[in-house]
Coordinates of all heavy atoms in Angstrom, one line a residue:
M27 N 203.2 94.6 108.2 CA 202.6 95.9 108.4 C 203.5 96.7 109.4 O 203.9 96.3 110.4 CB 201.2 95.9 109.1 CG 200.1 96.6 108.2 SD 198.5 96.2 108.8 CE 198.3 97.3 110.1
S28 N 203.8 98.0 109.0 CA 204.7 98.8 109.8 C 203.8 99.7 110.7 O 202.7 100.1 110.2 CB 205.6 99.6 108.9 OG 204.9 100.4 108.1
R29 N 204.3 100.2 111.7 CA 203.7 101.0 112.6 C 204.3 102.4 112.6 O 205.5 102.4 112.6 CB 203.6 100.5 114.0 CG 202.6 99.5 114.3 CD 202.7 98.8 115.6 NE 203.4 99.7 116.6 CZ 203.1 99.6 117.9 NH1 202.2 98.8 118.3 NH2 203.8 100.4 118.7
R30 N 203.5 103.3 112.5 CA 204.0 104.7 112.5 C 203.6 105.3 114.0 O 202.6 105.1 114.5 CB 203.3 105.6 111.5 CG 203.9 105.3 110.1 CD 203.3 106.2 109.0 NE 203.7 107.6 109.2 CZ 203.1 108.7 108.7 NH1 202.1 108.4 107.8 NH2 203.5 109.8 108.9
L31 N 204.6 106.0 114.4 CA 204.4 106.7 115.7 C 204.0 108.1 115.5 O 204.7 108.9 114.8 CB 205.7 106.6 116.5 CG 205.5 106.3 118.0 CD1 205.1 104.8 118.1 CD2 206.9 106.5 118.7
F32 N 202.9 108.5 116.0 CA 202.5 109.9 116.0 C 202.7 110.6 117.2 O 202.4 110.2 118.3 CB 201.0 110.0 115.6 CG 200.7 109.5 114.2 CD1 200.3 108.2 114.0 CD2 200.7 110.3 113.1 CE1 200.0 107.8 112.6 CE2 200.5 109.9 111.8 CZ 200.1 108.6 111.5
R33 N 203.3 111.9 117.0 CA 203.4 112.7 118.3 C 202.0 113.2 118.6 O 201.2 113.6 117.7 CB 204.3 113.8 117.9 CG 204.6 114.7 119.1 CD 205.6 115.8 118.7 NE 205.2 116.4 117.5 CZ 205.1 117.7 117.4 NH1 205.4 118.5 118.4 NH2 204.8 118.3 116.2
Y34 N 201.6 113.1 119.9 CA 200.3 113.6 120.3 C 200.3 115.1 120.3 O 201.0 115.7 121.0 CB 199.9 113.0 121.7 CG 198.6 113.5 122.1 CD1 197.4 113.0 121.4 CD2 198.6 114.4 123.1 CE1 196.2 113.5 122.0 CE2 197.3 115.0 123.5 CZ 196.1 114.5 123.0 OH 194.8 115.0 123.3
V35 N 199.4 115.6 119.6 CA 199.1 117.1 119.5 C 197.7 117.4 120.1 O 196.7 116.9 119.4 CB 199.3 117.6 118.1 CG1 199.1 119.2 118.2 CG2 200.7 117.2 117.5
P36 N 197.6 118.0 121.2 CA 196.3 118.3 121.7 C 195.6 119.4 121.0 O 195.5 120.5 121.5 CB 196.6 118.6 123.2 CG 198.0 119.3 123.1 CD 198.7 118.6 122.0
F37 N 195.0 119.0 119.8 CA 194.3 120.0 119.0 C 193.0 120.5 119.8 O 192.5 119.7 120.6 CB 193.8 119.4 117.7 CG 194.8 119.3 116.7 CD1 195.7 118.2 116.6 CD2 195.0 120.4 115.8 CE1 196.6 118.1 115.7 CE2 196.1 120.3 114.9 CZ 196.9 119.2 114.8
T38 N 192.6 121.7 119.6 CA 191.3 122.2 120.1 C 190.3 122.2 119.0 O 190.7 122.6 117.9 CB 191.5 123.6 120.6 OG1 192.4 123.5 121.7 CG2 190.2 124.1 121.3
I39 N 189.2 121.7 119.2 CA 188.2 121.7 118.1 C 187.2 122.9 118.3 O 186.7 123.1 119.3 CB 187.3 120.4 118.1 CG1 188.2 119.2 118.0 CG2 186.3 120.4 117.1 CD1 187.5 117.9 118.1
V40 N 187.2 123.8 117.3 CA 186.4 125.0 117.4 C 185.5 125.1 116.1 O 185.9 124.7 115.0 CB 187.3 126.3 117.5 CG1 188.1 126.3 118.8 CG2 188.1 126.5 116.4
Q41 N 184.3 125.9 116.3 CA 183.4 126.1 115.3 C 184.1 127.0 114.2 O 184.8 128.0 114.7 CB 182.2 126.6 115.8 CG 181.0 126.7 114.7 CD 179.8 127.3 115.3 OE1 179.8 128.4 115.9 NE2 178.8 126.5 115.2
D42 N 184.0 126.7 113.1 CA 184.6 127.5 112.0 C 183.8 128.8 111.8 O 182.6 128.8 111.4 CB 184.6 126.8 110.7 CG 185.3 127.6 109.5 OD1 185.6 128.7 109.8 OD2 185.5 127.0 108.4
A43 N 184.4 129.9 112.2 CA 183.7 131.2 112.2 C 183.5 131.7 110.8 O 182.6 132.7 110.6 CB 184.4 132.3 113.0
T44 N 184.1 131.2 109.8 CA 184.0 131.7 108.4 C 182.8 130.9 107.8 O 182.4 131.3 106.6 CB 185.2 131.4 107.7 OG1 185.5 130.0 107.5 CG2 186.4 132.1 108.3
A45 N 182.2 129.9 108.3 CA 181.2 129.2 107.7 C 179.9 129.2 108.6 O 180.0 128.9 109.8 CB 181.5 127.8 107.4
E46 N 178.8 129.7 108.1 CA 177.6 129.9 108.9 C 177.0 128.5 109.2 O 176.9 127.7 108.4 CB 176.5 130.8 108.2 CG 176.9 132.2 108.2 CD 175.8 133.1 107.5 OE1 175.6 133.1 106.4 OE2 175.0 133.7 108.4
P47 N 176.6 128.3 110.4 CA 175.8 127.1 110.8 C 174.6 127.0 110.0 O 174.0 128.0 109.6 CB 175.5 127.3 112.3 CG 176.5 128.3 112.8 CD 176.7 129.2 111.6
E48 N 174.0 125.8 109.8 CA 172.8 125.6 109.0 C 171.7 124.9 109.9 O 172.0 124.0 110.6 CB 173.1 124.7 107.8 CG 174.1 125.4 106.9 CD 174.5 124.4 105.8 OE1 174.2 123.3 105.8 OE2 175.2 124.9 104.9
Y49 N 170.5 125.5 109.9 CA 169.4 125.0 110.5 C 168.3 124.7 109.6 O 168.1 125.3 108.6 CB 168.9 126.0 111.6 CG 169.9 126.6 112.5 CD1 170.7 127.6 112.2 CD2 170.1 126.0 113.7 CE1 171.7 128.1 113.1 CE2 171.0 126.5 114.6 CZ 171.9 127.6 114.3 OH 172.8 128.1 115.2
E50 N 167.5 123.6 109.8 CA 166.5 123.2 109.0 C 165.6 122.3 109.8 O 165.8 121.6 110.7 CB 167.2 122.3 107.9 CG 166.4 122.1 106.6 CD 167.2 121.4 105.5 OE1 168.4 121.1 105.7 OE2 166.6 121.3 104.4
A51 N 164.2 122.4 109.3 CA 163.2 121.5 109.9 C 162.4 120.9 108.8 O 162.2 121.5 107.8 CB 162.4 122.4 110.9
R52 N 161.8 119.7 109.1 CA 160.9 119.1 108.2 C 159.7 118.5 109.0 O 159.9 118.0 110.1 CB 161.7 117.8 107.5 CG 160.7 117.2 106.4 CD 161.6 116.0 105.8 NE 161.3 114.8 106.5 CZ 162.4 114.1 107.0 NH1 163.7 114.4 106.7 NH2 162.2 113.0 107.7
C53 N 158.5 118.8 108.4 CA 157.3 118.3 109.1 C 157.2 116.8 108.9 O 157.2 116.3 107.8 CB 156.2 119.1 108.5 SG 154.6 118.6 109.3
V54 N 157.1 116.1 110.0 CA 157.0 114.6 110.0 C 155.6 114.3 110.5 O 155.4 113.0 110.9 CB 158.1 113.9 110.8 CG1 159.5 114.2 110.1 CG2 158.2 114.3 112.2
S55 N 154.7 115.2 110.6 CA 153.4 114.9 111.1 C 152.6 114.1 109.9 O 153.0 114.1 108.8 CB 152.5 116.1 111.3 OG 153.2 116.9 112.2
G56 N 151.6 113.3 110.3 CA 150.9 112.5 109.4 C 150.9 111.0 109.9 O 151.8 110.5 110.4
D57 N 149.6 110.3 109.7 CA 149.5 109.0 110.1 C 150.1 108.0 109.1 O 151.0 107.2 109.6 CB 148.1 108.7 110.3 CG 147.5 109.5 111.5 OD1 148.2 109.7 112.5 OD2 146.2 109.9 111.4
E58 N 149.7 108.0 108.0 CA 150.2 107.0 107.0 C 151.5 107.4 106.3 O 152.4 106.7 106.0 CB 149.1 106.6 106.0 CG 148.0 105.6 106.7 CD 146.8 105.6 105.8 OE1 146.9 105.9 104.6 OE2 145.9 105.2 106.4
S59 N 151.5 108.6 105.8 CA 152.7 109.3 105.2 C 153.0 110.6 105.8 O 152.0 111.3 106.1 CB 152.6 109.3 103.7 OG 151.5 110.1 103.4
E60 N 154.2 110.9 106.0 CA 154.5 112.2 106.7 C 154.4 113.4 105.6 O 154.4 113.2 104.4 CB 155.9 112.2 107.3 CG 157.0 112.1 106.3 CD 158.3 112.1 107.0 OE1 158.5 111.4 108.1 OE2 159.3 112.8 106.5
C61 N 154.0 114.5 106.2 CA 153.7 115.7 105.5 C 155.0 116.1 104.6 O 154.8 116.3 103.4 CB 153.4 116.8 106.4 SG 153.4 118.5 105.7
G62 N 156.2 116.2 105.2 CA 157.3 116.3 104.3 C 157.7 117.9 104.1 O 158.6 118.1 103.4
A63 N 156.9 118.7 104.5 CA 157.1 120.1 104.2 C 158.4 120.5 104.9 O 158.8 120.1 105.9 CB 156.0 121.0 104.7
E64 N 159.2 121.4 104.2 CA 160.5 121.7 104.7 C 160.7 123.2 104.8 O 160.3 123.9 103.9 CB 161.6 121.2 103.8 CG 161.7 119.7 103.8 CD 162.7 119.0 102.7 OE1 162.9 119.7 101.8 OE2 163.2 117.9 103.0
S65 N 161.5 123.5 105.8 CA 161.8 124.9 106.0 C 162.8 125.5 105.1 O 162.9 126.7 104.8 CB 162.3 125.2 107.5 OG 163.6 124.6 107.6
G66 N 163.6 124.6 104.5 CA 164.8 125.0 103.7 C 165.9 125.3 104.7 O 165.7 125.5 106.0
V67 N 167.2 125.4 104.2 CA 168.2 125.8 105.0 C 168.2 127.2 105.5 O 168.2 128.1 104.7 CB 169.6 125.4 104.3 CG1 170.8 125.8 105.2 CG2 169.7 123.9 104.1
R68 N 168.3 127.4 106.7 CA 168.4 128.9 107.2 C 169.6 129.0 108.1 O 170.1 128.0 108.6 CB 167.2 129.1 108.1 CG 165.8 128.8 107.5 CD 165.5 129.7 106.4 NE 164.2 129.3 105.8 CZ 163.1 129.9 106.1 NH1 163.0 130.8 106.9 NH2 161.9 129.5 105.5
H69 N 170.1 130.2 108.2 CA 171.3 130.4 109.1 C 171.0 131.0 110.4 O 171.8 131.3 111.2 CB 172.3 131.4 108.3 CG 172.7 130.8 107.0 ND1 173.6 129.6 107.0 CD2 172.6 131.1 105.7 CE1 173.9 129.3 105.8 NE2 173.3 130.1 105.0
D70 N 169.7 131.1 110.7 CA 169.2 131.6 112.0 C 168.1 130.7 112.5 O 167.1 130.4 111.8 CB 168.6 132.9 111.8 CG 168.0 133.6 113.0 OD1 168.1 132.9 114.1 OD2 167.5 134.7 112.9
P71 N 168.4 130.0 113.7 CA 167.4 129.1 114.2 C 166.0 129.7 114.4 O 165.0 129.0 114.3 CB 168.0 128.7 115.6 CG 169.0 129.6 115.9 CD 169.6 130.2 114.6
A72 N 166.0 131.0 114.6 CA 164.7 131.7 114.9 C 163.8 131.7 113.6 O 162.6 131.6 113.7 CB 164.9 133.2 115.4
A73 N 164.5 131.7 112.4 CA 163.8 131.6 111.2 C 163.1 130.3 111.0 O 162.0 130.2 110.5 CB 164.6 131.9 110.1
V74 N 163.8 129.3 111.5 CA 163.2 127.9 111.3 C 161.9 127.8 112.3 O 160.9 127.3 111.9 CB 164.2 126.8 111.8 CG1 163.5 125.5 111.8 CG2 165.3 126.8 110.7
E75 N 162.1 128.3 113.6 CA 161.0 128.3 114.5 C 159.9 129.0 113.9 O 158.7 128.6 114.1 CB 161.4 128.8 115.9 CG 162.4 127.9 116.6 CD 162.8 128.4 118.0 OE1 162.3 129.5 118.4 OE2 163.8 127.8 118.5
E76 N 160.1 130.2 113.4 CA 158.9 131.0 112.7 C 158.3 130.2 111.7 O 157.0 130.3 111.6 CB 159.6 132.2 112.2 CG 158.6 133.3 111.9 CD 159.3 134.6 111.3 OE1 160.2 135.0 111.9 OE2 158.8 135.0 110.3
W77 N 159.1 129.5 110.8 CA 158.5 128.6 109.8 C 157.6 127.6 110.4 O 156.5 127.3 110.0 CB 159.6 128.0 108.9 CG 159.0 127.1 107.9 CD1 158.5 127.4 106.7 CD2 158.8 125.7 108.1 NE1 158.1 126.3 106.1 CE2 158.3 125.2 106.9 CE3 159.1 124.7 109.1 CZ2 158.0 123.8 106.7 CZ3 158.9 123.4 108.9 CH2 158.3 122.9 107.7
Q78 N 158.1 126.9 111.5 CA 157.3 125.9 112.2 C 156.0 126.4 112.7 O 154.9 125.7 112.5 CB 158.1 125.3 113.3 CG 159.1 124.3 112.9 CD 160.0 123.9 114.2 OE1 161.2 124.0 114.2 NE2 159.3 123.2 115.0
R79 N 156.1 127.6 113.4 CA 154.9 128.2 113.9 C 153.8 128.4 112.9 O 152.6 128.2 112.9 CB 155.1 129.5 114.7 CG 155.9 129.2 116.0 CD 156.2 130.6 116.6 NE 157.4 130.5 117.4 CZ 157.5 129.9 118.7 NH1 156.5 129.2 119.1 NH2 158.6 129.8 119.3
K80 N 154.2 129.0 111.7 CA 153.4 129.3 110.6 C 152.8 128.0 110.0 O 151.6 128.0 109.7 CB 154.2 130.0 109.5 CG 153.4 130.7 108.5 CD 154.1 131.8 107.8 CE 153.5 132.2 106.4 NZ 153.8 131.5 105.4
H81 N 153.6 127.0 109.8 CA 153.1 125.7 109.2 C 152.1 125.1 110.1 O 151.1 124.5 109.8 CB 154.3 124.8 109.0 CG 153.9 123.5 108.3 ND1 153.5 123.5 107.0 CD2 153.9 122.2 108.8 CE1 153.3 122.2 106.7 NE2 153.5 121.5 107.7
T82 N 152.5 125.1 111.5 CA 151.4 124.5 112.5 C 150.2 125.3 112.5 O 149.1 124.7 112.6 CB 152.0 124.5 113.9 OG1 153.2 123.6 113.9 CG2 151.1 124.0 115.0
Q83 N 150.2 126.6 112.4 CA 149.0 127.4 112.4 C 148.2 127.1 111.1 O 146.9 127.0 111.2 CB 149.4 128.9 112.3 CG 148.3 129.8 112.8 CD 148.8 131.2 113.0 OE1 150.0 131.4 113.3 NE2 147.9 132.2 112.9
E84 N 148.8 126.9 110.0 CA 148.1 126.5 108.8 C 147.6 125.2 108.7 O 146.5 124.9 108.0 CB 149.0 126.8 107.6 CG 149.3 128.3 107.3 CD 150.5 128.5 106.3 OE1 151.2 127.5 106.0 OE2 150.7 129.7 105.9
T85 N 148.3 124.2 109.3 CA 148.0 122.8 109.0 C 147.6 122.0 110.4 O 147.1 120.9 110.3 CB 149.2 122.1 108.4 OG1 150.3 122.1 109.4 CG2 149.6 122.7 107.1
R86 N 147.9 122.6 111.5 CA 147.8 121.9 112.8 C 148.8 120.7 112.9 O 148.6 119.9 113.8 CB 146.3 121.4 113.0 CG 145.3 122.5 113.0 CD 145.4 123.3 114.3 NE 144.5 124.5 114.2 CZ 144.9 125.8 114.5 NH1 146.1 126.0 115.1 NH2 144.1 126.8 114.4
H87 N 149.7 120.7 112.0 CA 150.8 119.7 112.2 C 151.7 120.1 113.4 O 152.1 121.2 113.5 CB 151.6 119.6 110.9 CG 150.9 119.0 109.7 ND1 151.3 119.0 108.4 CD2 149.6 118.3 109.7 CE1 150.4 118.4 107.6 NE2 149.4 118.0 108.4
T88 N 152.1 119.1 114.1 CA 152.8 119.4 115.4 C 154.2 118.7 115.5 O 154.9 119.0 116.5 CB 152.0 119.1 116.6 OG1 151.6 117.8 116.6 CG2 150.8 120.1 116.7
C89 N 154.6 117.8 114.6 CA 155.8 117.1 114.8 C 156.8 117.5 113.7 O 156.5 117.4 112.6 CB 155.5 115.6 114.8 SG 154.6 115.1 116.2
Y90 N 158.0 117.8 114.2 CA 159.0 118.2 113.2 C 160.4 117.4 113.4 O 160.7 117.1 114.6 CB 159.4 119.7 113.3 CG 158.1 120.5 112.9 CD1 157.2 120.9 113.9 CD2 157.9 121.0 111.6 CE1 156.0 121.6 113.5 CE2 156.9 121.7 111.2 CZ 155.9 122.0 112.2 OH 154.9 122.8 111.8
R91 N 161.1 117.2 112.4 CA 162.5 116.9 112.6 C 163.4 118.0 112.3 O 163.2 118.7 111.4 CB 162.8 115.7 111.6 CG 164.3 115.2 111.6 CD 164.7 114.4 110.4 NE 166.2 114.5 110.2 CZ 167.0 113.8 110.9 NH1 166.7 112.8 111.7 NH2 168.3 113.8 110.6
R92 N 164.4 118.2 113.2 CA 165.2 119.4 113.0 C 166.6 118.9 112.8 O 167.2 118.0 113.4 CB 165.2 120.3 114.2 CG 163.8 120.7 114.6 CD 163.8 121.9 115.6 NE 164.3 121.6 116.8 CZ 164.4 122.4 117.8 NH1 164.0 123.6 117.7 NH2 164.8 122.0 119.0
D93 N 167.2 119.6 111.8 CA 168.7 119.2 111.5 C 169.5 120.5 111.8 O 169.1 121.6 111.5 CB 168.9 118.9 110.1 CG 168.4 117.5 109.8 OD1 168.8 116.6 110.6 OD2 167.6 117.2 108.8
F94 N 170.7 120.2 112.4 CA 171.7 121.3 112.5 C 173.0 120.9 112.0 O 173.4 119.7 112.2 CB 171.7 121.6 114.1 CG 172.9 122.4 114.4 CD1 172.9 123.8 114.1 CD2 174.0 121.9 115.0 CE1 174.0 124.6 114.4 CE2 175.2 122.8 115.4 CZ 175.1 124.1 115.0
A95 N 173.7 121.8 111.3 CA 175.0 121.5 110.8 C 175.9 122.7 111.0 O 175.5 123.7 110.9 CB 174.9 121.0 109.4
D96 N 177.2 122.4 111.3 CA 178.2 123.4 111.3 C 179.5 122.9 110.9 O 179.5 121.6 110.7 CB 178.2 124.1 112.7 CG 178.8 123.2 113.7 OD1 179.0 122.0 113.5 OD2 179.0 123.8 115.0
Y97 N 180.5 123.7 110.8 CA 181.8 123.3 110.4 C 182.8 123.5 111.5 O 182.7 124.4 112.3 CB 182.2 124.1 109.2 CG 181.5 123.9 108.0 CD1 180.2 124.5 107.8 CD2 181.8 122.9 107.0 CE1 179.4 124.3 106.6 CE2 181.0 122.7 105.9 CZ 179.9 123.4 105.7 OH 179.1 123.1 104.6
A98 N 183.7 122.5 111.6 CA 184.6 122.7 112.8 C 186.0 122.6 112.3 O 186.3 121.9 111.2 CB 184.4 121.4 113.7
V99 N 186.9 123.3 112.9 CA 188.3 123.3 112.5 C 189.2 122.8 113.7 O 188.8 123.1 114.9 CB 188.8 124.6 112.0 CG1 188.3 124.9 110.7 CG2 188.5 125.7 113.0
M100 N 190.2 122.2 113.4 CA 191.2 121.7 114.5 C 192.3 122.8 114.6 O 193.0 123.0 113.6 CB 191.8 120.3 114.0 CG 190.8 119.3 113.6 SD 189.8 118.8 114.9 CE 190.8 117.7 115.9
E101 N 192.4 123.3 115.8 CA 193.4 124.3 116.1 C 194.5 123.7 116.8 O 194.4 123.2 117.9 CB 192.8 125.5 116.8 CG 191.9 126.4 115.8 CD 191.5 127.7 116.4 OE1 191.7 127.8 117.7 OE2 191.1 128.6 115.7
P102 N 195.8 123.9 116.4 CA 196.9 123.3 117.1 C 197.2 124.3 118.3 O 196.7 125.4 118.3 CB 198.0 123.4 116.1 CG 197.6 124.4 115.1 CD 196.1 124.4 115.0
P103 N 197.8 123.7 119.3 CA 198.0 124.6 120.5 C 199.1 125.6 120.1 O 199.7 125.5 119.1 CB 198.7 123.7 121.5 CG 199.0 122.4 120.6 CD 198.2 122.3 119.5
D104 N 199.1 126.7 120.9 CA 200.0 128.0 120.6 C 201.4 127.4 120.4 O 201.9 126.5 121.1 CB 200.0 128.9 121.8 CG 198.6 129.6 121.8 OD1 197.9 129.6 120.8 OD2 198.3 130.2 122.9
G105 N 202.0 128.0 119.4 CA 203.5 127.7 119.2 C 203.7 126.5 118.3 O 204.8 126.1 118.0
L106 N 202.6 125.8 117.9 CA 202.8 124.7 117.0 C 202.1 124.9 115.7 O 200.9 124.7 115.6 CB 202.1 123.4 117.6 CG 203.0 122.6 118.6 CD1 202.3 121.4 119.2 CD2 204.3 122.1 117.9
G107 N 202.7 125.5 114.7 CA 202.1 125.7 113.5 C 202.0 124.4 112.7 O 202.6 123.5 112.9
V108 N 200.9 124.4 111.9 CA 200.6 123.3 111.0 C 201.6 123.3 109.8 O 201.6 124.3 109.1 CB 199.2 123.2 110.6 CG1 199.0 122.0 109.7 CG2 198.2 123.1 111.7
R109 N 202.4 122.3 109.7 CA 203.4 122.4 108.5 C 202.9 121.4 107.5 O 202.4 120.3 107.7 CB 204.8 121.9 109.1 CG 205.4 123.0 109.8 CD 206.8 122.7 110.4 NE 206.6 122.2 111.8 CZ 206.7 123.0 112.8 NH1 207.1 124.3 112.6 NH2 206.6 122.6 114.0
Ligands
ZN23 ZN1 153.1 119.4 107.8

């Protein structure tokens, strides 16, 4: 096995501004089986919270699993273009 030497490049990890983050919640209330109602993917966390409040008001369910996803890009330091 050969070894390759990599030059260390101190990339910065930043959120990809061209892709909207995704927020989602699922109702996990229920004793034997969980409710499973889903907010669907939203691009605004407030929209998910609003969905939760409405669902709780209608069902008295109070437990949710929340998912968050975003995209990240590696930015090379100034003066080091990606070739
Ligand atoms: Zn529910």
Side-chain angles (χ1 to χ4, degrees):
M27 238 170 80
S28 64
R29 278 179 18 156
R30 286 182 66 190
L31 223 67
F32 290 94
R33 184 175 50 129
Y34 177 73
V35 180
F37 282 92
T38 303
I39 303 176
V40 298
Q41 189 177 58
D42 185 352
T44 65
E46 285 187 285
E48 298 173 353
Y49 306 85
E50 197 169 5
R52 186 179 82 234
C53 179
V54 295
S55 302
D57 293 328
E58 283 167 20
S59 60
E60 67 182 41
C61 166
E64 291 176 335
S65 67
V67 173
R68 311 292 181 93
H69 296 297
D70 178 3
V74 173
E75 289 182 6
E76 196 182 309
W77 175 85
Q78 285 179 238
R79 290 181 209 286
K80 192 161 168 275
H81 185 71
T82 293
Q83 200 170 333
E84 289 168 351
T85 61
R86 301 289 170 222
H87 292 166
T88 53
C89 293
Y90 296 88
R91 176 193 154 84
R92 301 198 295 183
D93 283 314
F94 167 73
D96 68 354
Y97 295 84
V99 289
M100 309 296 286
E101 285 191 344
D104 287 344
L106 274 178
V108 177
R109 281 177 266 269

